[in-house]
Amino acid sequence: QFQERFTPDIVYSVNDLGMALNLPIPRKGQSLDLDLLKYQIHVRLAIQPGSRVPTFKKYIVFNARKQFFTFQEGICNTDLLYHVSKGIEHGTIESLRNCFEMLSPSGESLRSAGDHFRSNYRAHFTPEFYPRRFVLKDPLYEQRLETLDILLLHALENYKKSNVSYIEFSVGVN
């Protein structure tokens, strides 16, 4: 049972994918129709019925941040990339890319991040700002701690290339 369900791959939960794709997610206290949410995700990702690659499964995932195993229903990164590469509804790939890098709503590189924020958030951060922008990054950090090492080394290399001689990082510990 363990070996059949365990994956070392990153697993994105149904709820996280729904939030990243800007699908209606019930607020606390409201019931979640998981089957409807999965269907909406299939439609947005243009996943064909009967696809040979599985979509949502119940996985055993190791949460490296909290140091325990947990059950999680979702789609693993490898399968998500497969489905995305097979064709996608206009706008969805941009939504997914925006979960990992700051882009314009059309998915193009930004000339000015300020313009994007002013046009999309009107100079204020709504409660949806953090969840929608970073919801797919959290599983990376939780399930693969080495991701943070890679990001830190990348940032340090960029500072070095820019001849920055002093930096400070703020680190929070749970």
Side-chain angles (χ1 to χ4, degrees):
Q1 174 96 7
F2 179 84
Q3 289 185 355
E4 291 173 14
R5 292 196 177 210
F6 175 75
T7 180
D9 202 350
I10 305 299
V11 175
Y12 304 104
S13 74
V14 175
N15 197 46
D16 287 348
L17 278 169
M19 194 177 301
L21 295 170
N22 201 23
L23 296 171
I25 304 292
R27 300 200 185 274
K28 285 188 177 181
Q30 295 177 327
S31 63
L32 172 67
D33 185 343
L34 202 57
D35 290 331
L36 176 61
L37 186 56
K38 287 186 216 177
Y39 172 77
Q40 291 172 326
I41 292 168
H42 275 113
V43 170
R44 287 292 300 273
L45 295 178
I47 296 173
Q48 300 301 317
S51 172
R52 67 172 182 80
V53 174
T55 52
F56 298 105
K57 287 177 39 180
K58 289 186 180 177
Y59 292 98
I60 297 174
V61 176
F62 182 67
N63 185 321
R65 201 179 249 178
K66 295 179 181 175
Q67 296 291 300
F68 65 82
F69 289 95
T70 183
F71 284 100
Q72 185 166 328
E73 185 169 6
I75 187 169
C76 68
N77 192 58
T78 305
D79 292 345
L80 180 64
L81 291 174
Y82 172 83
H83 291 300
V84 167
S85 72
K86 290 298 173 193
I88 201 159
E89 180 181 307
H90 177 69
T92 304
I93 191 69
E94 291 81 8
S95 296
L96 287 174
R97 285 187 62 204
N98 258 310
C99 292
F100 296 97
E101 57 185 312
M102 186 62 72
L103 302 170
S104 72
S106 65
E108 297 171 5
S109 295
L110 289 176
R111 291 197 177 104
S112 167
D115 292 341
H116 176 66
F117 283 116
R118 278 190 291 281
S119 66
N120 287 288
Y121 298 102
R122 292 185 174 72
H124 70 281
F125 293 97
T126 66
E128 285 75 32
F129 175 78
Y130 173 79
R132 282 190 42 224
R133 284 284 303 127
F134 302 107
V135 71
L136 296 185
K137 287 183 181 178
D138 290 341
L140 290 170
Y141 303 149
E142 288 177 355
Q143 298 170 34
R144 302 296 288 265
L145 293 178
E146 65 270 18
T147 304
L148 296 175
D149 288 338
I150 293 166
L151 290 173
L152 179 60
L153 290 173
H154 178 74
L156 291 172
E157 187 62 33
N158 284 343
Y159 284 126
K160 181 181 174 184
K161 287 178 185 176
S162 301
N163 293 321
V164 174
S165 60
Y166 178 80
I167 58 169
E168 290 185 17
F169 285 102
S170 175
V171 178
V173 179
N174 291 338

